[in-house]
Amino acid sequence: MSRLIAVSNRVSPPRDIGQGSVGGLAMALSAMMRETSGVWFGWSGRTTDTFTGHLDIERIGAMTVATVDLEAQDVEEYYNGYANKSLWPLFHYRIDLTDYDKSFDVSYRRVNERFARTLAPLLQSDDVIWVHDYHLFLLGRELRRLGVTNRIGFFLHIPWPSRQLLTTLPRHRDLVDALFDYDLIGFQAQDWMHAFKGYVENEIGGLIEDGVAHGFGKSMQVGVFPIGIDAEAFLQAGHSDAALETFARMRNSLAGRQMILGVDRLDYSKGLEERFLAYERFLSDTPEARERVFLLQIATPSRDEVEAYQDMRASLDAAAGRINGEYATFDWVPIRYVNTAYRRDELAGIYRAARAALITPLRDGMNLVAKEYVAAQDPDDPGVLILSRFAGAASQMREALIVNPFSREQTAEAIAKALTMGLEERKRRHAALLEGVVRDNVMAWSRDFVRALSSVTR
Ligand code: GDG
């Protein structure tokens, strides 16, 4: 069997997982890599004065972790800059927040090229290479330039923007041209693949047909591979001592009230302010629910160096403060807003204690929290998942209450419906959701992608 080489910007060895918030990509890849004897290559998270290309190699179980340090300037311009100030907002349909800067672009190209130069000597002829996410769009092309002829696949964890938005990016054509040097591109959901098709067919006069994209005189396979969670591990975490203790503590603190839960990286794509406002609308429309319900929002800070994140944090603090000021009583606070990260097993206990989960991103490649919430529920008394239609997960999780997060009314109505839903309906919806979460787990996702990539003929 061929060796699998996974490449992502950051590498999070499994021992680091479970301690705090790490983000969806790291969760998924570490689960996947635990099961393979492959190599996981990426940035160490450390900086160096001058790039040396020196590889730090560590064996963890069957897998090998290979990391490289980057220059501080690259971290600023490639990672904070091009990846997180240009591409992330653009690919989440927020061109109002994009920052396009020539120096970001130059550094992005340099880092992709440096990754390729460092990785190439590690490769054996029948290795299958799987590149992850928007930090590394150009890696395939750079590897080809170095003469690498292996199969190389790319998976995009985030949405693909519509053509009208993508064309605001300087040198967008070159970016997409580079993608055509991969053998296979995977998207999280049909919607994102459609958006890609719109670009290929209307912007560059290419064609996507029967799972094959033609453009720039090249061809590659394209497909939809919705990512899942390590459901088994999550179900187990739910029975751990820490989960049971946290669950009991949470239950005690409910004091007979119903808990609505949100868990997110603190990111503007997650729609947190809109969520608070929808919840406020619910409180204002449903006076009888006041003091009988509260919203626990766990939002772990991320990308603190980026101004848009600082701004968002300030406006969220203000919204939570205002709503609490308006509705709180001396022994009830409507929003418990927490910026601490919890351990994974603790999180499982918190999920289980929540009567409803409010997962309302404005745009999200998939959203793993929705799946974790379902996996953590007590099947005999499950909570209700309220899910944004703009999360990739919505196309799979049809038995959730699907809402438009831009509509406060609709979200407020869904909250009311979730909190009054009878046991039979909750169990029916949950059983159907759980079946999908367990079946379409992270291992199935990675197996399907690697199988599709391995069967590409070069
Ligand atoms: C990107 C895409 C796609 C959160 N707080 C804590 C904590 N978390 C964990 C969750 C979950 C992960 O972080 C977040 O994953 P999401 O999928 O919800 O979101 P992104 O980080 O934006 O992930 C997304 C994903 O990639 C995978 O392809 O689904 O659409 O945006 O696992 O549990 N974990 C712990 N403590 C916390 O406080 N331990």
Side-chain angles (χ1 to χ4, degrees), residues 356-399:
L358 198 48
I359 317 267
T360 52
L362 305 181
R363 204 62 63 166
D364 214 333
M366 174 56 59
N367 195 294
L368 296 180
V369 172
K371 298 186 174 188
E372 292 167 0
Y373 176 72
V374 167
Q377 295 308 296
D378 173 359
D380 294 325
D381 185 19
V384 180
L385 174 64
I386 303 172
L387 181 63
S388 162
R389 58 170 295 165
F390 301 116
S395 58
Q396 290 181 300
M397 306 183 85
R398 303 214 183 261
E399 295 81 8

Side-chain angles (χ1 to χ4, degrees), residues 18-25 27-28 88 92 133 155-159 188 227 229 234 263-265 267 269-270 298 300 303 340-345 347 351 364-370 372 392 445:
Q19 300 310 315
S21 173
V22 288
L25 182 146
M27 279 314 308
W88 178 272
H92 287 86
D133 230 2
F155 184 78
L156 184 64
H157 289 256
I158 63 176
Q188 298 268 30
I227 198 168
I229 60 165
F234 211 82
V263 175
D264 305 80
R265 264 189 322 100
D267 193 293
S269 64
K270 305 294 182 184
I298 298 174
T300 334
R303 304 176 193 168
T340 337
Y342 289 89
R343 284 187 9 212
R344 215 158 165 65
D345 41 13
L347 209 54
Y351 284 140
D364 214 333
M366 174 56 59
N367 195 294
L368 296 180
V369 172
E372 292 167 0
W445 165 76

Side-chain angles (χ1 to χ4, degrees), residues 188-199:
Q188 298 268 30
Q190 204 70 43
D191 275 356
W192 317 137
M193 194 165 92
H194 271 143
F196 182 69
K197 182 175 161 75
Y199 181 93

Side-chain angles (χ1 to χ4, degrees), residues 57-115:
I57 296 192
E58 193 186 350
R59 283 196 66 90
I60 302 174
M63 92 165 127
T64 303
V65 170
T67 55
V68 65
D69 300 346
L70 290 177
E71 288 174 14
Q73 186 187 353
D74 281 339
V75 175
E76 192 44 39
E77 294 171 348
Y78 141 83
Y79 179 67
N80 288 328
Y82 201 75
N84 287 333
K85 292 183 185 165
S86 307
L87 295 179
W88 178 272
L90 172 63
F91 279 63
H92 287 86
Y93 293 61
R94 291 298 299 272
I95 44 171
D96 57 316
L97 296 177
T98 53
D99 187 354
Y100 300 147
D101 186 306
K102 185 81 190 295
S103 68
F104 296 172
D105 191 329
V106 170
S107 175
Y108 185 80
R109 284 160 201 278
R110 185 170 59 230
V111 171
N112 272 257
E113 193 250 328
R114 285 176 167 175
F115 262 56

